[in-house]
Structures are given as structure tokens and as C-alpha cells.
Amino acid sequence: MTRTLTQSFCIGIAGFSLLLAGCMHASKSSTANAGNVDWGSYGLNLNGQRHSELTQINTGNVKQLASAWTVSTGVKATFQATPIVGNGVMYVSLPFNHVLALDAATGKQLWKYTHERKAGWSMCCGPANRGVAVSDGKVFIGTVDARLIALDARNGRKLWDIDVAGQPVDREQQDTLNGSDPNKTRKVTGGTGVGIAMAPVVYKHKVIIGITGVGYGLHIDNPRSDAPLGAVIGVTGRYGRPGFLAAFDVDTGHQVWQFDTIPVKGWEGHFATATADGSHFERDIATEKAALKDYPDAAIFGGGSAWSTPAIDTETDTLYFGTGNPSPQMNDVSRPGDNLYTVSLVALDTETGQYKWHYQQVPHDLWGYDLASPPVLFQYQQHGRNIPVVGQAGKTGWFYIHDRATGAFLAKSEAFVPQHNLFKKPNMDGVIVYPGILGGANWSPTSVDETRQKVFVAAMHSPIKYTVHETETGNGQQPMRYTASEPTEDARWGLLSAIDLHSGKIAWQQKTAQPLVGGVLSTAGGLLFCGEGNGQFNAYDSQTGQALWHYQSEYGVNAPPITYQVNGEQYIAVVSGGNSLFGFKQGDSIMVFKLSKH
């Protein structure tokens, strides 16, 4: 079994001293008896369920929830972090990879680590970071400049700092766009590059993390500050590199293993036109096979970012993670075949990184349907059997369920967002698709109430127009091709869904004014917490969907909430800093709530 926060170290708030007596072998039960219940990992536990057994705050008293403390961090930018809480200390990663340690009961700052990025390093995907991992007396963070850093949990002192990904990759050039394309002169906010967005996870003395931004495409800014990203553009060419997930020794940072998300051999797959879950794809297989001779090295530009923190099965030492789109994004001329293992759920051996199985949701992806939302492990009841499974909420708008041991597809939910032209190929006239590149479920983590067999999903409806363009290159050469995905003028909204795992049906659904991105928290107190881009932070009855409580923040609440207990008192926490990609107001708040005593 992995060591917990309490097994690894005990930290006393007073003077923030390391307590040696009586805490080196503290267990979960002793922590609970002392009145503390931690949020020890990105998904609460290694299963990634984000469902707390705390009941002090419940449907009967949630209306009494009030602010306990708020901290303004001073860094106003897209804020996506999940705070980690252990032994009364909260650890929060800020945009641009600064880290705070706070007294979890009062918000008092204990220490701050200020990150210095590499000179000249261009961020592929903005400044956001999704959290830290805490174990073995250390705080681990992956950075926007593709480093993995270990800090001393007592004082924030840097212990080691390693370069995870090597040199950055050149971004696609905007001057390849057609002269009549308005995106040619608009501001570029990101492109193909290398960084780390996910929160690490620690297991058996290894810290596990993956890189993002490989084959990301050009990000074109929207001239309206309150609007979503203007366009994502994939240009045909030799851009990108393979992504990977890797494990590092917690003491030294030495790499233990690395799994490349694009295999050197077999990346073309079997040219699938259908998947086991019933999805069918328009593909010109003959043309793709003929193109293999022209692009034999397509795999070295393959893409496949690792966006989401893995879930880990401690019984079998297996980890599960999702992969991103192939490179070039949305543009398949130079990448024939299925483009394995992109847009896939992948299972690996935690000790060696060896491949166990994969399930590709979208072969030869043309739409940006990354597996961005983290996988979650739970016991699934089907035909009278209790099956260990892995679930994942797709950008496609379905929740998928697989046998954990074999990867066999078992079921998927009914669609939790509207679907239209889901897998229709882009063309020069433009095709409107939804969910599309922004997804049904984007990176937002889900929550699973295993006892009640329900999964809760925060998602969005945001129609996208995909258009293929060609630019004359002269000298008798083939025209340069690129594909743009741009939001339409259609209405957008969010959908918060409770899905019955027995039937796959929507048990209840709440429509919100804006797309939902950030994630959810469910509790045994019968509550479901979720934030919105307009700054509302809401509590619902998890069984009925009835809205019970809300708090209005100045900034968008677009991060996953957590809950924890200190000295017998339960708290709810969430960071509030908006999201620039969706036009939600950016800020710098860490907000913590508890029951009012009045």
C-alpha cells in the first residue's frame, strides 16, 4: 500500500515544527480520531472518486454554510488547482507554479515557494496548474516549463528540480494561414510546445506525471475578453512530438520508467471505422493506407498529451490515464492510421510502466476529443455481479465504463450533453459539431458515489464550426492545408448531471447559464458542490439535484472543490480565479467555508 500523508510526516501548526514523537506511523484511523480528515491526493484517494464520507455538513444544515476564511494570493490568472490537505496544512499550487502552504483552519500563510520559469520558454497552454502531490515529507509540482520539482513540506525549500521533457518544440507558424483568413493577424495565445498541467500522483516511492502541449495547434485569442477561445488551428506539417507519462524516484528525481503515448511500431493500428461502444467514423481507408509510404515517420510527431492525473488500483499495481489528440491537430494528411495511443484510456503497470491495455475512444481523431477528464475506479454492479471497473467522462458526451483488468468495454451512459455531427469530417464549407473540441466533459474531474451507484459530471454545450482551408504554396507544390475549429454564435450553456450507473440513464440534470468547467465534489452528507464561471459556488442535493445553497465570488469558480476536517470541524474549499479560455473572470481567491455557529 502507498504511504499516506499521515504515514509520511506529521506537521504541527504551532511554529510549523516537525513532530517526531508518535506520528511516524500514524494511520488514517488515528488521524480521524484526532479530529482531522485529510484530502490527501488529487482525486481524494488513488481511485480518484472525489466522494467524501464526511457528513457534518449535510442537506439539513448546508444553508448555514458561511465563509471561514479567504486568501487572496496576488496572482490573478486562470486558477484550476485542487488543494491538498494533510495534518491541518493546505498546499495550493498557484498559476505559474508558485506554491502556498496555509493553516487549513485559519488560512494563515506558513510558507510560499516562488517559481522562476526558464528564460525564453513559451507556455503552450497558459499558466494554469491543477495541483500538487504531497508525500514522504515533500511537495511535488509539475511546471509550465516542463520541470518536476520537489519541495520540503516543512518550509517550501527546493529539494530537487529536474527537466522532464528536454527542449521545447517550435510552434506552428501563423504565416502559413491563408491571406484572407482573419486569424492570420490575430493574437496567438498558445501553440505546440511542452509543459505540465496535471497534478502528480505518488505511489510506492514514485511520483508519476506526464507532459502536455505536444501537437496542440495554434490558439487564436478572441477579441472579446468575456468570450471563449477564438480558434484552434491545426496546420499540416512536421509539427509536434510524442507525449509520455513517467515515474520518478521521490528522493532523487531519478527517472524510474517512461511510457511514450505513441508507439514506435504499430501506431497506425487497424484502421478502425467503428469501436466497441458503437461509434462509427467516416474514413477513406484506401487513401490513408496509400499515404503510409509518404509518412513512415508520422509517429515521431505523434502528439498524445497526458492531461489527467492517473487513477491507481493498489490491488493490481495498475494505473489508468487518458491521452490527448494526435498531431497535427484536426489535420490528418500527414498521419494516416488510427494514431495509437492517442484519444485513449491506457492501463500501465505502476512498477515498470509496461503497457497492459488501451481503449481508443476516437481512432484517427479529427475533432480534438482528448481524454481530458481523469479516470475513476469503482465497483460496478452489472447482471448481479460486482465488477472492478474504470470509468471516464468523455469529451464526446458519454460516460464510459471498462473492465479494469482487461479494458473490455462494458457500458456507456446516455449522452449527458447534446450531440450533433459528432464524428462528421470537417470540410471547406464548414461543419458545425457538438460537443466538439471544448467537449461535453472537458478536463473537469467527476465524482462517484459508489454506494448509491451514481456518477456526477460537470459538462458543457458549446457548438464548434470546423473548416478546412488551403493556402497556395507556389513552385508546383501541394497547397498547405489547415483546419480551424471556432465557436459559433449559437447559445452555450452548462449541464450538471447525475448518472445512474445501473441503467446509464440521467437521474437528474441542472442547466447552467454558462459552460461548466472545473469539476465536482460529492459527500455522504447528500451534497454535491460545483462552481460556475459567473462566480457562483453552489451546493445541490445529490439525490434530487435541488439547489440548496450558493455563494457569490468576484471571480469565476472553475476548479474542483474539496472537503476536509480539522479538529473535528468540516470545511469546504475551492479556488476562484476564472478561466481565460472560456472568458470567465480571472482572479486569485482561495475560499474556505464551514457551518456558521449563529
Side-chain angles (χ1 to χ4, degrees), residues 370-441:
D370 315 58
L371 271 69
S373 180
V376 57
L377 308 182
F378 56 96
Q379 296 295 314
Y380 175 57
Q381 297 163 15
Q382 185 184 62
H383 307 308
R385 295 190 303 145
N386 205 32
I387 308 169
V389 299
V390 52
Q392 198 272 333
K395 274 191 171 184
T396 56
W398 291 300
F399 185 79
Y400 299 79
I401 300 174
H402 299 269
D403 185 293
R404 211 184 294 177
T406 66
F409 170 76
L410 298 178
K412 69 182 181 185
S413 70
E414 65 180 343
F416 51 76
V417 292
Q419 295 170 325
H420 175 69
N421 287 336
L422 188 63
F423 303 120
K424 186 169 182 61
K425 292 180 70 171
N427 58 40
M428 291 188 178
D429 294 326
V431 175
I432 294 178
V433 173
Y434 41 88
I437 193 168
L438 294 180

Side-chain angles (χ1 to χ4, degrees), residues 174 182-183 185-190 218-232 438 462 464 485-489 492 580-584:
Q174 200 170 9
N183 292 314
T185 57
R186 288 180 181 160
K187 179 183 176 183
V188 174
T189 59
L218 284 173
H219 268 184
I220 306 296
D221 201 11
N222 196 310
R224 281 176 47 206
S225 62
D226 63 342
L229 185 71
V232 177
L438 294 180
S462 187
I464 300 292
S485 61
E486 301 172 273
T488 69
E489 295 299 319
R492 305 181 304 135
S580 63
L581 291 181
F582 291 89
F584 299 146

